């Protein structure tokens, strides 16, 4: 009796254990996440996923937590959040788990968005995303930032210590970082022979990842035509990334929820003004006591100006904003061949990108769009690239 | 009344070995240390939590019932998660030697973790209750000093629902026997 009872008990326990191991997905494929509602307010909602969130890996994304990175991406296994089963809903049991699952869900959403846009083939998937990535910058452990690391083609979100929405939960900011991968693959990598300089400039924006400079990369490159043009490129990259994030989320102020001190300066509802010319870029460099910082600030500021114009154009587009975004993104490969003749010969004007991006829409511009463009570009450009607008009354 | 019910239930399971005079009860406190994989599965997390236990013994068999409670808060920026877990488990044991001496034993059991998770961000708040069943096996060694003071240590491997990797737990218990 005792033996058979023991045997029965062990067999039952073993089958139960095997059942447990195989049914680690008992809470299904829906997770409780902090997610924006129809009004854009972050609420706790049940969000469907393509796979169970016990291991954060799918065709859209691989999420890593507190991981080290390498040339092949992140080291180690994908994140395994701690979850409990609440009537078939996977509920993260701690903040770390919630950040990881949320980042995963966001990139699944981005993947679906890009499929609808028709731009998904511009990148390789799954995208590799690191959350709570600990790294040192010049001030110690880095906080309150997110980066696209072009050399590894990964996104890294560092720990967040401000009172607002953690960056790993901010859909607009993650979309912003995600767009940098598009600009990298469709623009920067096509300027192939200029890549070493681009990496050098990226060091300034991502001081967490200092790259060993090649012999011709010194601080004096800042004063070269190519050096200054790299900041123009950076401005375009940042502006288009803000535009992508804003159209994806429907929120023209993606920074505000997490970094309120940047809300006003990076808001796409702010005033639109003329974009800097190449001469203006030189003046920033010549007149500044801290040229590197000044050029970086200029890149962000001009990027915002570009994004504000394009956001307004998207808002009045006859189709819808995502359709406008789609047309812009499909024009990204045109940028490198169009700018390359000028890239080494003279400092580019920030407005140079506009006729490239809007090239297939010039004939469709209405009075309102023409009026917006005229606030931003020079008269010479209006006459050469947007002449159609000059025949309109606005 | 409870003792009567337990004795009748145990008697029906062990008809050949029931000796009512040999039934012993233990009650006490335990400390469970748990090693589990972190959200990054390449790292392990180490947590310790107190437990209450009661055990009924009819050598060489015993049934241990454990009750545990733990809570904690984690946050990032303005986002926070408060978690409370009540755990209840029942473990069957087989002891190889009478515990008046140091006695090794093996165990197998199952139970449930009953979770309450409150997530907050700004004015948004969500409370959910969840369940994670578990089952495991283990082994340990115990002794009843002066036939009254129970001391034991036990290690277990536990499979928990909605956890990819099993947990390793190490428990130390102290109680009284009557």
């Amino acid at each position: 009796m005792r033996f058979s009872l023991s045997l029965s008990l062990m067999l039952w326990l073993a089958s139960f254990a095997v059942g447990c191991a195989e049914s680690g997905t008992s809470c299904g494929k829906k997770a409780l996440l902090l997610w924006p509602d129809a009004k854009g307010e972050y609420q706790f909602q049940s969000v469907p996923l393509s796979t169970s969130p016990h291991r954060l890996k799918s065709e859209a994304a691989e999420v890593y937590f507190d991981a080290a990175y390498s040339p092949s991406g992140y080291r180690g296994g994908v994140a395994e959040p701690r979850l409990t089963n609440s009537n078939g809903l996977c509920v993260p049991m701690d903040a770390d788990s919630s950040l990881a699952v949320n980042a995963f869900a966001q990139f699944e959403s981005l993947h679906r968005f890009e499929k609808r846009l028709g731009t998904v083939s511009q990148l390789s998937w799954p995208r590799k995303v690191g959350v709570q990535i600990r790294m040192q910058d010049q001030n110690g452990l880095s906080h309150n930032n997110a980066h696209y690391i072009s050399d590894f083609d990964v996104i890294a979100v560092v720990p967040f210590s401000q009172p607002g929405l953690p960056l790993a939960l901010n859909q607009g900011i993650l979309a912003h970082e995600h767009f940098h991968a598009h600009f990298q693959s469709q623009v920067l990598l096509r300027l192939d022979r200029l890549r070493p300089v681009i990496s050098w400039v990226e060091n300034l924006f991502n001081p967490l990842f200092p790259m060993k400079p090649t012999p011709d990369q010194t601080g004096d490159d800042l004063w070269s035509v190519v050096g200054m043009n790299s900041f123009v490129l950076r401005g375009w990259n940042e502006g288009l990334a803000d535009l992508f994030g804003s159209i994806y989320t429907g929120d023209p102020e993606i920074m505000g929820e997490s970094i309120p001190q940047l809300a006003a300066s990076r808001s796409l509802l702010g005033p639109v003004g003329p974009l800097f010319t190449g001469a203006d870029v030189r003046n920033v460099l010549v007149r500044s006591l801290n040229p590197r910082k000044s050029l970086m600030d200029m890149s962000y500021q001009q990027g915002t100006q570009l994004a504000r114009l394009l956001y307004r154009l998207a808002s009045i587009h006859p189709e819808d904003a995502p359709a406008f975004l789609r047309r812009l993104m499909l024009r990204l490969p045109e940028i490198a061949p169009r700018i390359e003749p000028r890239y080494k010969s003279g400092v580019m004007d920030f407005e140079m990108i506009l006729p490239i991006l809007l090239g297939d829409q010039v004939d469709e511009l209405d009075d309102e769009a023409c009026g917006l463009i005229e606030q931003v570009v020079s008269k010479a450009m209006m006459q050469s690239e947007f002449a159609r607008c000059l025949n309109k009354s606005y | 009344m409870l003792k009567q019910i337990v004795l009748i239930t145990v008697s029906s399971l062990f008809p050949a070995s029931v000796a009512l005079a040999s039934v012993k009860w233990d009650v006490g406190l335990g400390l469970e240390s748990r090693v589990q994989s972190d959200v990054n599965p390449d790292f392990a997390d180490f947590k310790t939590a107190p437990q209450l236990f009661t055990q009924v013994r009819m050598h060489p068999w015993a049934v241990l019932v454990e009750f545990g409670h733990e809570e904690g808060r984690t946050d990032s920026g303005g986002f926070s998660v408060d978690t409370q877990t009540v755990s209840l488990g029942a473990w069957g044991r087989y002891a190889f030697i009478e515990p008046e001496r140091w006695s090794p034993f093996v165990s197998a059991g199952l139970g449930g973790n009953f979770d309450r998770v409150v997530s907050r961000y700004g004015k948004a708040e969500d409370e959910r209750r969840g369940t994670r069943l578990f089952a495991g096996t283990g082994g340990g060694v115990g002794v009843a000093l002066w036939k009254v003071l129970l001391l034991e240590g036990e290690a277990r491997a536990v499979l928990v629902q909605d956890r990819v990797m099993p947990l390793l737990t190490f428990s130390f218990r102290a109680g009284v026997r009557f």
Side-chain angles (χ1 to χ4, degrees), chain A residues 288-358:
Chain A
S288 174
L289 295 176
N290 189 341
R292 290 185 187 199
K293 183 180 184 306
S294 296
L295 285 172
M296 286 170 62
D297 290 344
M298 175 201 71
S299 289
Y300 283 113
Q301 192 268 338
Q302 289 297 295
T304 299
Q305 287 295 314
L306 174 68
R308 284 174 179 170
L309 168 67
L310 293 174
Y311 186 77
R312 281 168 170 77
L313 292 176
S315 302
I316 62 174
H317 196 260
E319 294 177 68
D320 59 14
F324 178 83
L325 179 66
R326 175 180 184 274
R327 294 175 79 167
L328 252 60
M329 289 184 70
L330 293 178
R331 301 282 297 176
L332 289 176
E334 303 290 326
I335 294 174
R338 291 276 294 269
I339 69 172
E340 197 152 9
R342 172 79 180 267
Y343 194 84
K344 279 197 164 182
S345 61
V347 183
M348 297 186 297
D349 305 325
F350 273 93
E351 66 181 15
M352 270 186 71
I353 195 174
L354 282 172
I356 304 171
L357 291 176
L358 301 175

Side-chain angles (χ1 to χ4, degrees), chain B residues 51-97:
Chain B
Q51 289 179 326
L52 294 173
F53 75 90
T54 184
Q55 178 175 228
V56 59
R57 287 184 70 251
M58 284 191 305
H59 182 73
W61 296 99
V63 175
L64 177 88
V65 175
E66 291 175 323
F67 170 84
H69 178 266
E70 58 183 295
E71 54 186 61
R73 161 175 273 222
T74 54
D75 54 48
S76 176
F79 172 72
S80 67
V81 179
D82 290 307
T83 306
Q84 294 173 355
T85 297
V86 169
S87 60
L88 189 62
W91 296 80
R93 291 173 161 193
Y94 182 88
F96 296 98
I97 307 172

Side-chain angles (χ1 to χ4, degrees), chain B residues 89-141:
Chain B
W91 296 80
R93 291 173 161 193
Y94 182 88
F96 296 98
I97 307 172
E98 281 282 351
E100 277 70 26
R101 293 173 288 167
W102 287 100
S103 169
F105 62 86
V106 293
S107 61
L110 51 89
N113 294 312
F114 306 98
D115 305 308
R116 175 177 173 265
V117 182
V118 181
S119 309
R120 294 186 180 89
Y121 172 71
K123 293 181 183 176
E125 183 172 312
D126 181 279
E127 178 176 333
R128 301 278 170 162
R129 293 185 185 271
T131 304
R132 292 171 292 137
L133 301 179
F134 64 80
T137 60
V141 65

Side-chain angles (χ1 to χ4, degrees), chain A residues 103-363:
Chain A
F104 179 75
Q106 288 188 54
F107 274 82
E108 292 214 314
S109 176
L110 276 166
H111 189 235
R112 291 192 296 272
F113 179 71
E114 293 229 32
K115 278 185 174 178
R116 290 197 301 272
L117 282 189
T119 56
V120 70
S121 60
Q122 288 187 350
L123 297 177
S124 62
W125 299 79
R127 305 304 299 159
K128 295 179 174 62
V129 184
V131 177
Q132 299 292 79
I133 303 301
R134 287 184 282 178
M135 44 190 68
Q136 298 284 327
D137 62 15
Q138 63 270 26
N139 300 317
L141 191 65
S142 177
H143 282 86
N144 308 323
N145 216 332
H147 306 276
Y148 170 67
I149 314 302
S150 59
D151 274 19
F152 306 138
D153 192 29
V154 301
I155 286 173
V157 185
V158 300
F160 189 75
S161 58
Q162 295 196 11
L165 182 70
L167 296 183
L169 304 183
N170 188 314
Q171 300 206 351
I173 288 179
L174 284 195
H176 170 108
E177 297 304 327
H178 172 69
F179 176 83
H180 286 320
H182 281 280
F183 200 85
Q184 173 74 14
S185 75
Q186 302 302 304
V187 182
L188 300 181
L189 288 180
R190 290 170 191 256
L191 289 170
D192 194 57
R193 55 199 163 111
L194 301 170
R195 195 186 314 176
V197 179
I198 292 165
S199 292
W200 166 72
V201 170
E202 193 153 309
N203 283 343
L204 298 179
F205 288 85
N206 286 332
L208 305 169
F209 304 98
M211 313 294 178
K212 186 178 177 185
T214 58
D216 63 344
Q217 294 167 17
T218 66
D220 293 340
D221 279 349
L222 203 59
W223 296 86
S224 70
V225 165
V226 171
M228 283 184 271
N229 280 333
S230 297
F231 286 92
V232 176
L233 273 173
R234 189 68 199 205
W236 293 344
N237 196 353
E238 291 295 331
L240 290 173
D242 277 355
L243 177 74
F244 181 90
S246 294
I247 291 179
Y248 167 69
T249 58
D251 179 7
E253 298 181 319
I254 59 174
M255 299 284 169
E257 196 80 32
S258 297
I259 313 175
Q261 57 269 39
L262 292 180
S265 61
R266 298 286 286 270
S267 168
L268 299 196
L269 300 179
V272 176
L275 290 169
F276 276 15
T277 64
D280 293 326
V281 176
R282 277 190 188 278
N283 285 336
V284 166
L285 185 60
V286 168
R287 294 176 182 177
S288 174
L289 295 176
N290 189 341
R292 290 185 187 199
K293 183 180 184 306
S294 296
L295 285 172
M296 286 170 62
D297 290 344
M298 175 201 71
S299 289
Y300 283 113
Q301 192 268 338
Q302 289 297 295
T304 299
Q305 287 295 314
L306 174 68
R308 284 174 179 170
L309 168 67
L310 293 174
Y311 186 77
R312 281 168 170 77
L313 292 176
S315 302
I316 62 174
H317 196 260
E319 294 177 68
D320 59 14
F324 178 83
L325 179 66
R326 175 180 184 274
R327 294 175 79 167
L328 252 60
M329 289 184 70
L330 293 178
R331 301 282 297 176
L332 289 176
E334 303 290 326
I335 294 174
R338 291 276 294 269
I339 69 172
E340 197 152 9
R342 172 79 180 267
Y343 194 84
K344 279 197 164 182
S345 61
V347 183
M348 297 186 297
D349 305 325
F350 273 93
E351 66 181 15
M352 270 186 71
I353 195 174
L354 282 172
I356 304 171
L357 291 176
L358 301 175
D360 63 337
Q361 303 184 54
V362 174
D363 292 342

Side-chain angles (χ1 to χ4, degrees), chain A residues 1-2 5-6 12-13 16-17 20 24-27 32 34 42-44 54-55 65-67 76-80 82-86 89 91-99 160 162-166 169 257, chain B residues 13-15 17 36-43 45 60-61 74-79 81 83 85 94 108-110 115 117 119-121 124-126 128-132 134-137 159 161-165:
Chain A
M1 171 72 175
R2 186 186 300 168
L5 176 63
S6 305
W12 179 82
L13 190 62
F16 184 82
C20 268
T25 60
S26 71
C27 62
L32 179 74
L34 189 65
Y42 281 84
Q43 303 288 345
F44 291 100
H54 296 80
R55 275 203 176 107
F65 191 87
D66 191 12
V78 295
E80 293 177 3
R82 298 190 187 119
L83 306 163
T84 188
N85 180 0
S86 178
L89 181 68
V91 179
M93 293 184 65
D94 52 63
D96 289 346
S97 297
S98 195
L99 296 184
F160 189 75
Q162 295 196 11
L165 182 70
L169 304 183
E257 196 80 32
Chain B
L13 290 175
F14 298 91
S17 61
Q36 58 189 21
S37 61
D38 191 37
V39 178
N40 181 331
D42 298 332
F43 297 126
D45 200 359
W61 296 99
T74 54
D75 54 48
S76 176
F79 172 72
V81 179
T83 306
T85 297
Y94 182 88
L110 51 89
D115 305 308
V117 182
S119 309
R120 294 186 180 89
Y121 172 71
E125 183 172 312
D126 181 279
R128 301 278 170 162
R129 293 185 185 271
T131 304
R132 292 171 292 137
F134 64 80
T137 60
L159 291 170
Q161 274 190 324
D162 292 301
R163 291 285 305 181
V164 176
M165 296 295 290

